[in-house]
Amino acid sequence: MVLGIESSCDETAAAVVADGERILSSVVATQVLTHERFGGVVPELASREHLRKIVPVVQEAGRVASVGLEDIGGVAVTEGPGLIGSLLVGLVYGKALALSLEKPLVGVNHLEGHIHGVLLENKIARNRGQDVEEARFPNVTLVVSGGHTSLFRVEMQRSAVSSRQNAVGSDRAHGLPFAANSAPNAPIFSYTRLGQTRDDAAGEAFDKVAKLLALGYPGGPILDRLARSGNPHAVDFGRVRMKGNPLDFSFSGLKTAVLYRVRGTSLEVEAYQRRIWRESAGRATTTEEILSHCSQATLDLVASFQNAVVTDLMERTLAAADSCRVPCVFVSGGVACNSVLRERFVDAAKHTGLQIFFPSHALSTDNAAMIAAAGYYKLLAGQRADYSLTAHASLPLGSSR
Ligand code: KG4
Ligand code: ZN
């Protein structure tokens, strides 16, 4: 049983996962209400919220799983990338916990966590006896969220023999049992970066467009729901051509194109009125209420923007799968919840014969079960962090191509 801790952005999360495939608990304390009125995450407020929530959230994860923390096998904690102040809260807490309980500790890259969210979901579904194919490797994974838009080639190999890994110093240095043997046949994952965003992440673009149009926060789920009432072909935003690596992304131009379509037009007046109405409501407004405060032109713009983002994500991901010659695609991260993105990928799967895997919504957005699952395989492979483990705001995953 691995205790996972995640605090890289605006969710304080802890989970207990057994054997890397059974979620015994997954507790997520969201900070949406704290950041809502700013239309985006305020880093200093996020750190303070994590400080308030980290202890009760970890305790709750133990309580729901019905395990005492002394019974867990190890602690996996997000070490980056993310907001440095936020990361430090979970990381320092996890490190102190591992030290005091004398449990092995391992750091997990947040993006690796999102990739493992897909594998975990697949294992859960298959263990339940659901008729789903087995997720395979090598595959191409799209991690698409509020902070990231990246494509990876993911491979899995098995350790042949018991081997000593990361053995730095003696066992139990600083109270942490950190030099260990790899279990024979342990899965070892490796990652190659194929492309990434050069500016905004896709989720960030959703959030900024929603803020511009005064539609609420976080923008992704709201735009997703509103777009159902708009025409996705009303505005042609054109395709984004990337110089250099065609598997890189760029969403800032699209966001600016939306801004130019709004600025100085009746859409700007409408957004202003909506902002006043939402603020005077003094409470969370429902999709139906927001819908009744949107003109058809706004809904068409929203649907067209979403269509442009989804088409871009789809095309580059399918091109990556094609160039890597892999039969399997994983899609993960908060934007993987997008209903049109899912429909379009499922449709593409039918036409191309590719296998496409998405996690459930709970495992797509930030959570600690994915961190515990990724950490489980690292611990199994004998990886251990020592006392010097620290947080990194930017932490690339894997090697570049
Ligand atoms: O993975 P996540 O919880 O946190 C990060 O690591 O960033 O992703 C949050 C992001 C936000 O930008 C949110 O607007 C976006 O995911 N998101 C969506 C949807 N649900 C969440 N974007 C588009 N469509 C959705 N249905
Ligand atoms: Zn994330």
Side-chain angles (χ1 to χ4, degrees), residues 118-130:
V118 188
L119 186 61
L120 177 58
E121 186 75 53
N122 185 251
K123 286 186 184 285
I124 292 170
R126 289 174 62 82
N127 288 344
R128 272 196 206 125
Q130 280 172 243

Side-chain angles (χ1 to χ4, degrees), residues 46-93:
S47 312
R48 290 185 207 176
E49 276 295 286
H50 285 306
L51 275 174
R52 266 193 286 273
K53 302 262 180 68
I54 189 74
V55 176
V57 164
V58 171
Q59 281 175 345
E60 180 73 355
R63 195 190 62 75
V64 174
S66 301
V67 290
L69 292 179
E70 61 286 350
D71 296 327
I72 57 162
V75 178
V77 60
T78 306
E79 57 178 319
L83 301 170
I84 192 70
S86 292
L87 282 165
L88 277 168
V89 176
L91 184 126
V92 171
Y93 187 75

Side-chain angles (χ1 to χ4, degrees), residues 52-327:
R52 266 193 286 273
K53 302 262 180 68
I54 189 74
V55 176
V57 164
V58 171
Q59 281 175 345
E60 180 73 355
R63 195 190 62 75
V64 174
S66 301
V67 290
L69 292 179
E70 61 286 350
D71 296 327
I72 57 162
V75 178
V77 60
T78 306
E79 57 178 319
L83 301 170
I84 192 70
S86 292
L87 282 165
L88 277 168
V89 176
L91 184 126
V92 171
Y93 187 75
K95 191 157 72 169
L97 200 62
L99 180 65
S100 63
L101 296 170
E102 297 199 354
K103 302 289 181 187
L105 171 74
V106 71
V108 173
N109 185 302
H110 183 78
L111 298 174
E112 186 172 16
H114 274 303
I115 295 169
H116 276 272
V118 188
L119 186 61
L120 177 58
E121 186 75 53
N122 185 251
K123 286 186 184 285
I124 292 170
R126 289 174 62 82
N127 288 344
R128 272 196 206 125
Q130 280 172 243
D131 183 21
V132 288
E133 289 183 272
E134 189 173 6
R136 286 193 284 158
F137 299 91
N139 67 52
V140 159
T141 303
L142 170 69
V143 180
V144 59
S145 69
H148 316 280
T149 306
S150 302
L151 280 166
F152 296 96
R153 178 186 157 90
V154 184
E155 280 170 80
M156 195 260 281
Q157 274 139 14
R158 292 195 178 265
S159 64
V161 285
S162 173
S163 63
R164 212 164 167 82
Q165 296 222 352
N166 287 359
V168 187
S170 62
D171 285 357
R172 298 201 169 270
H174 311 294
L176 290 169
F178 69 86
N181 291 334
S182 158
N185 220 22
I188 295 174
F189 297 88
S190 58
Y191 310 91
T192 309
R193 294 194 300 278
L194 304 172
Q196 62 210 333
T197 183
R198 296 191 191 162
D199 40 59
D200 291 352
E204 191 181 355
F206 270 97
D207 294 339
K208 285 178 176 168
V209 165
K211 185 177 181 181
L212 170 75
L213 292 170
L215 295 170
Y217 172 83
I222 298 167
L223 295 195
D224 190 354
R225 290 195 290 270
L226 294 179
R228 286 174 204 154
S229 306
N231 173 5
H233 307 292
V235 182
D236 182 5
F237 286 106
R239 296 285 161 83
V240 181
R241 309 240 172 266
M242 301 305 296
K243 287 203 181 115
N245 183 0
L247 300 181
D248 275 348
F249 299 89
S250 169
F251 295 105
S252 70
L254 190 55
K255 176 194 67 187
T256 311
V258 174
L259 174 69
Y260 286 151
R261 291 204 160 253
V262 173
R263 194 186 270 166
T265 71
S266 61
L267 296 187
E268 189 171 28
V269 178
E270 185 189 318
Y272 175 77
Q273 287 166 343
R274 212 163 24 238
R275 187 164 294 118
I276 303 284
W277 159 69
R278 288 188 51 243
E279 280 169 12
S280 65
R283 58 174 173 82
T285 43
T286 65
T287 308
E288 286 67 34
E289 287 173 321
I290 299 172
L291 199 56
S292 68
H293 284 76
C294 288
S295 66
Q296 192 57 46
T298 292
L299 297 172
D300 288 348
L301 183 63
V302 164
S304 301
F305 162 78
Q306 175 174 272
N307 183 43
V309 176
V310 167
T311 303
D312 196 88
L313 291 170
M314 278 260 315
E315 287 184 351
R316 288 185 215 279
T317 305
L318 297 184
D322 194 43
S323 80
C324 292
R325 298 180 201 289
V326 295

